[in-house]
């Protein structure tokens, strides 16, 4: 037996516990959260040891010998000690849950403080292993601010929390590392990531890529759009734009480069597409679950409905932008050559049903029956398990497959086991960072820093909403540096969104969507831009040039959050004339911004610069301005400029847009900075 097989076996046991709890709910969620965190940390440590052994595919003794071999001994020892401490601490807390959580709340025994201190160090170490020094600095700064708050400047100053108070907050009170975020992951998000693991294990990504390749037959920029489609779909369920860029980018970026796209452009397209996936319903990179738990009186379905209009705006504008930048660079590639083994139509239909049925069940359970998210996730995951195993077996029985029924069953069972392992691999880092964030946020809350930020922001802005919104966006980008979507949104939702709600009286949905969209910008914003860094690493591209390309493609994403501020009806979870009208203005304005930045004009340098600036400025006004009359005026200017450009035929922008949607053979001009000879 190899270490990999041990991990698979333990993953199956872990998921059986998760599924059983979701079905029966036999113990309080807080107590279950302790057990869940302990189990996933142990599996993460085993995964790390397995990677140190070179993949864990030999026999167990050989794998362990290699994991603890030269060059690995220090980290292997630290991981082993961490595993022992996690087992002791979480077992103790789970066993003494009633005493710690209820009977002795606010008090602890001396040995419990020692236990909490060691566990905190273990969490900090595992956080560093998962996300590196950038996020380690965030965690350490949170602990440091809690203890040394008396030295903080101005309104951020507080009396300082003692060591015992901090340890009670993050461990002993069964809050902090075990708090509501960990419990949310345990009850809701975990099953969706198991669903994502099954999708990968059963080969759903191959079907997604085939669907994307088929679009290349009808769209000039189809090869590049494969990155947008696949990254958006996969990114919407994995909760990390950076991880998604690494996962799908390892395939889409080389594909784009082979077909003529420059490395900087390929990296930028992948980074932006991975970012867009984080806001796509129904999962929204797991952010939807957290938003539903933070906003009082709303359901998960309300969050999904509220996110539809802005997601549509973002997807359409990125689609157009990618067409503008990629079509001139792409070679004339035959899309049929992209798929080496053609899939028969019957098999394509079967595969579509295999993955479509669980998705339909998810939509039905949430949208029609309106059950809890945990129940919907349980039904969806179970349905994926059933269809993933049964469809290939049935195909074998009716003779539409080259495999026998036994061979199909054996293969799908191994795919199921691998999907369970993949679910753990994806879930573990998400759980670790959310647990760490929960600890930091609880410390900050105990110091009163949310109130301090609120007062500081109000003071700096002078009570002007626009200034406050800009400052809030800057804070969100800074706080989101190096974090996955779930973590970055959580911290800004708890620290920044309350200010917009209480001081500027914005609706809760508008405030939360503002900070949600602003937080994911950290992955595209230099000098950190972790999502771009991963993508350009795969592309072999220059980091700064890739950042510039990414910002040009995603420019409306930096403006869209302000639409939620001045037109909150766009995210009101209601489809009426006002919300649809505001959404339409925002969409046309966003396309104008993209057109001004990325379109290849054929005018002289001065006229081109003026046209770019005018399209960009009027696009912003059409998107954001609170006066409908001013928006109409800006929209009229945009339309007039389109018409003028079309009449002059230099070149015709409408024809290019038709080419983007596959309704015309026209394409973006292929030569020269201005697009012509």
């Amino acid at each position: 037996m190899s270490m990999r097989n041990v991990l698979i076996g333990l993953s199956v046991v872990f998921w059986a516990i998760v599924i059983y709890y979701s079905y029966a709910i036999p113990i309080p969620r807080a107590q279950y959260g302790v057990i869940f965190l302990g189990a996933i940390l142990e599996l993460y440590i085993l995964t790390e040891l397995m990677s140190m052994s070179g993949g864990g595919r030999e026999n167990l003794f050989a794998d362990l010998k290699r994991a603890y071999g030269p060059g690995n001994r220090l980290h292997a020892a630290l991981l082993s000690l961490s595993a022992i401490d996690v087992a002791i601490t979480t077992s103790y807390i789970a066993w003494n849950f009633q005493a710690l959580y209820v009977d002795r709340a606010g008090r602890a025994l001396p040995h419990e403080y020692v236990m909490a201190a060691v566990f905190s160090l273990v969490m900090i170490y595992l956080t560093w292993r998962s996300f590196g020094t950038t996020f380690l600095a965030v965690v350490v700064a949170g602990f440091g601010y809690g203890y040394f708050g008396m030295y903080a400047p101005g309104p951020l100053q507080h009396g300082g929390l003692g060591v015992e108070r901090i340890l009670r907050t993050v461990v002993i009170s069964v809050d902090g590392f075990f708090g509501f975020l960990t419990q949310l992951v345990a009850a809701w998000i975990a099953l969706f990531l198991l669903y994502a693991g099954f999708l990968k294990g059963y080969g759903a990504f191959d079907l997604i890529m085939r669907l994307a390749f088929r679009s290349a037959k009808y769209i000039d920029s189809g090869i590049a759009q494969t990155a947008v489609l696949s990254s958006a779909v996969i990114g919407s369920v994995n909760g990390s734009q950076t991880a998604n860029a690494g996962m799908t980018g390892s395939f889409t970026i080389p594909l784009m480069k082979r077909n003529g796209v420059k490395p900087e452009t390929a990296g930028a397209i992948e980074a932006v597409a991975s970012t867009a996936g984080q806001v796509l319903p129904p999962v929204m990179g797991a952010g939807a679950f957290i938003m539903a738990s933070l906003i009082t009186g709303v359901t998960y379905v309300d969050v999904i409905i509220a996110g539809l209009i802005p997601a549509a705006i973002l997807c359409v504008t990125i689609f157009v932008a990618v067409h503008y930048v990629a079509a001139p660079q792409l070679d004339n590639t035959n899309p049929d050559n992209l798929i080496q083994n053609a899939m028969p139509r019957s098999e394509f239909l079967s595969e579509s049903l295999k993955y479509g049925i669980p998705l339909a069940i998810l939509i039905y359970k949430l949208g029609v029956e309106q059950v809890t998210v945990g129940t919907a996730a349980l039904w969806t995951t179970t349905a994926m398990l059933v269809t993933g195993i049964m469809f290939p077996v049935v195909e074998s029985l009716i003779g539409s497959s080259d495999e026998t029924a036994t061979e199909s069953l054996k293969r799908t069972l191994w795919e199921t086991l691998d999907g369970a392992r993949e679910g753990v691999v994806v879930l573990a880092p998400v759980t670790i960072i959310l647990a760490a964030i929960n600890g930091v946020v609880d410390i900050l809350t105990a110091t009163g820093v949310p109130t301090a930020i609120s007062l500081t922001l109000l003071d700096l802005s002078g009570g002007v909403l626009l200034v406050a919104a800009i400052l809030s966006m800057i804070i969100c980008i800074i706080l989101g540096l190096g974090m996955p979507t779930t973590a970055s949104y959580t911290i800004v939702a708890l620290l920044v969104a309350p200010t917009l709600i209480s001081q500027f009286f914005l609706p809760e949905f508008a405030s939360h969507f503002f900070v949600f969209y602003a937080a994911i910008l950290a992955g595209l914003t230099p000098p950190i831009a972790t999502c771009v860094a991963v993508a350009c690493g795969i592309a072999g591209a220059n980091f700064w040039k890739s950042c510039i390309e990414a910002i040009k493609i995603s420019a409306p994403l930096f403006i869209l959050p302000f639409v939620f501020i001045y037109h909150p009806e766009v995210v009101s979870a209601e489809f009426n004339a006002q919300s649809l009208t505001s959404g339409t203005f925002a969409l046309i304005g966003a396309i104008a911004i993209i057109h001004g930045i990325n379109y290849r004009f054929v005018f002289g340098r001065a006229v081109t610069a003026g046209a770019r600036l005018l399209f960009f400025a009027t696009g912003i006004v059409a998107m954001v301005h609170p006066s409908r009359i001013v928006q109409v005026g800006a929209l009229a200017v945009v339309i007039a400029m389109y018409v003028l450009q079309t009449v002059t035929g230099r070149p015709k922008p409408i024809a290019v847009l038709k080419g983007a949607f596959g309704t015309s053979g026209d394409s973006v001009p292929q030569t020269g900075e201005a697009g012509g000879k």
Side-chain angles (χ1 to χ4, degrees):
M1 177 181 289
S2 67
M3 190 179 291
R4 180 184 176 89
N5 289 339
V6 171
L7 176 62
I8 289 175
L10 292 176
S11 297
V12 171
V13 174
F14 170 78
W15 287 120
I17 294 172
V18 171
I19 291 172
Y20 174 71
Y21 176 83
S22 181
Y23 174 76
I25 314 182
I27 57 177
R29 179 182 285 192
Q31 187 177 14
Y32 169 62
V34 175
I35 298 171
F36 175 88
L37 181 60
I40 197 64
L41 289 180
E42 298 289 7
L43 289 173
Y44 172 76
I45 291 169
L46 180 58
T47 303
E48 290 293 285
L49 288 172
M50 188 181 76
S51 66
M52 292 164 59
S53 71
R57 295 179 181 272
E58 300 180 27
N59 63 72
L60 184 58
F61 178 77
D63 290 337
L64 290 172
K65 185 177 180 180
R66 184 175 297 178
Y68 287 86
N72 293 332
R73 290 194 178 103
L74 176 60
H75 284 297
L78 289 174
L79 286 169
S80 300
L81 292 173
S82 297
I84 295 171
D85 178 72
V86 167
I88 293 173
T89 304
T90 54
S91 298
Y92 180 89
I93 294 176
W95 184 261
N96 297 281
F97 175 76
Q98 178 69 21
L100 295 172
Y101 195 65
V102 180
D103 299 340
R104 288 193 283 110
R107 296 176 291 114
L109 303 175
H111 71 274
E112 291 172 343
Y113 286 116
V114 176
M115 178 187 70
V118 176
F119 185 76
S120 297
L121 292 175
V122 168
M123 283 298 300
I124 292 172
Y125 169 67
L126 295 180
T127 300
W128 170 76
R129 283 197 68 91
S130 301
F131 294 95
T133 54
T134 300
F135 189 68
L136 174 66
V138 174
V139 176
V140 173
F143 276 81
Y145 177 74
Y147 186 76
F148 297 105
M150 69 287 294
Y151 302 112
L156 297 178
Q157 187 179 89
H158 63 89
L161 305 177
V163 173
E164 293 184 352
R165 172 81 180 277
I166 292 175
L167 293 176
R168 286 200 305 270
T169 299
V170 298
V171 179
I172 301 172
S173 65
V174 199
D175 212 334
F177 297 135
F178 306 105
F180 86 96
L181 284 179
T182 299
Q183 296 165 28
L184 190 66
V185 174
W188 289 1
I189 298 176
L191 281 173
F192 276 98
L193 292 182
L194 175 59
Y195 172 53
F198 282 158
L199 286 175
K200 186 173 183 180
Y202 295 137
F205 294 172
D206 177 64
L207 180 65
I208 293 171
M209 293 307 300
R210 288 177 182 272
L211 290 170
F213 287 147
R214 291 195 174 194
S215 70
K217 294 182 178 181
Y218 312 105
I219 305 170
D220 295 337
S221 57
I223 302 298
Q225 301 295 353
T226 61
V228 177
L229 177 59
S230 59
S231 296
V233 172
I234 298 169
S236 68
V237 297
N238 71 2
S240 172
Q241 64 201 102
T242 303
N244 188 67
M247 182 190 302
T248 59
S250 60
F251 180 82
T252 59
I253 290 174
L255 174 68
M256 286 187 281
K257 288 176 62 179
R258 284 198 303 270
N259 288 277
V261 178
K262 297 176 183 177
E264 287 76 16
T265 304
I269 289 173
E270 175 58 44
V272 174
S274 295
T275 300
Q278 304 302 297
V279 302
L280 288 187
V283 181
M284 292 168 58
F289 308 133
I290 298 175
M291 190 179 297
S293 68
L294 291 178
I295 302 178
T296 304
V298 304
T299 66
Y300 170 76
V301 176
D302 294 329
V303 175
I304 295 305
I305 295 174
L308 288 175
I309 293 178
I313 294 169
L314 186 62
C315 288
V316 172
T317 52
I318 290 177
F319 179 84
V320 174
V322 168
H323 179 74
Y324 277 0
V325 300
Q329 301 178 30
L330 284 167
D331 300 326
N332 293 323
T333 303
N334 183 0
D336 293 328
N337 296 334
L338 298 174
I339 305 176
Q340 296 179 351
N341 299 315
M343 181 180 289
R345 179 169 297 181
S346 59
E347 183 181 353
F348 182 81
L349 177 61
S350 174
E351 290 289 290
S352 300
L353 287 174
K354 182 168 73 174
Y355 305 119
I357 289 173
L359 181 61
I361 289 175
L362 171 64
I363 295 172
Y364 177 79
K365 286 291 179 180
L366 288 175
V368 179
E369 291 191 356
Q370 296 189 2
V371 299
T372 64
V373 176
T375 301
L378 178 62
W379 274 87
T380 304
T381 305
T382 304
M384 188 68 257
L385 179 64
V386 172
T387 60
I389 294 176
M390 295 305 299
F391 266 65
V393 174
V394 172
E395 289 173 2
S396 299
L397 290 173
I398 64 177
S400 60
S401 171
D402 296 333
E403 296 178 315
T404 65
T406 303
E407 291 173 339
S408 292
L409 181 60
K410 184 181 295 185
R411 175 178 58 82
T412 53
L413 286 176
W414 274 110
E415 289 174 348
T416 302
L417 294 175
D418 194 58
R421 181 196 62 82
E422 184 65 31
V424 165
V425 170
V426 175
L427 172 64
V430 173
T431 306
I432 289 171
I433 196 170
L434 286 180
I437 281 291
N438 210 144
V440 171
V441 167
D442 281 358
I443 291 174
L444 296 180
T445 302
T447 66
V449 73
T451 303
I453 290 177
S454 176
L455 294 174
T456 302
L457 190 60
L458 184 64
D459 183 55
L460 291 175
S461 67
V464 179
L465 178 58
L466 177 60
V467 177
I470 294 173
L471 292 174
S472 297
M473 174 173 279
I474 294 172
I475 293 172
C476 290
I477 291 174
I478 293 173
L479 293 176
L481 292 176
M483 296 189 197
T485 302
T486 46
S488 58
Y489 164 64
T490 301
I491 197 166
V492 299
L494 293 172
L495 297 181
V496 179
T499 301
L500 298 176
I501 296 169
S502 62
Q503 301 296 334
F504 294 93
F505 308 107
L506 289 177
E508 287 190 295
F509 264 145
S511 301
H512 278 266
F513 270 95
F514 177 88
V515 299
F516 179 49
Y517 271 68
I520 66 173
L521 292 175
L524 300 175
T525 307
I528 305 297
T530 51
C531 191
V532 178
V534 170
C536 72
I538 297 172
N542 179 276
F543 172 74
W544 287 101
K545 290 182 179 178
S546 295
C547 284
I548 293 172
E549 286 292 312
I551 291 173
K552 287 168 63 178
I553 295 171
S554 64
L557 180 56
F558 289 80
I559 308 301
L560 190 55
F562 294 94
V563 176
F564 311 149
I565 296 289
Y566 290 102
H567 297 281
E569 65 272 8
V570 171
V571 287
S572 63
E574 295 181 1
F575 292 114
N576 51 37
Q578 187 177 17
S579 64
L580 293 176
T581 301
S582 296
T584 302
F585 275 104
L587 174 60
I588 297 175
I591 293 176
I593 292 173
I594 289 298
H595 189 77
I597 294 175
N598 297 289
Y599 191 77
R600 298 196 169 196
F601 295 98
V602 297
F603 305 109
R605 185 181 299 273
V607 176
T608 295
R612 292 193 188 282
L613 180 61
L614 192 55
F615 269 116
F616 182 78
T618 52
I620 293 177
V621 174
M623 288 184 72
V624 175
H625 201 283
S627 170
R628 191 71 82 197
I629 295 176
V630 176
Q631 283 185 298
V632 171
L635 187 60
V637 174
V638 169
I639 294 174
M641 292 181 65
Y642 270 118
V643 172
L644 178 62
Q645 190 179 343
T646 302
V647 171
T648 59
R650 309 179 69 181
K652 297 182 179 180
I654 304 301
V656 176
L657 281 176
K658 287 183 177 180
F661 291 93
T663 58
S664 171
D666 295 330
S667 182
V668 179
Q670 301 289 321
T671 59
E673 163 60 22
K677 296 182 179 180

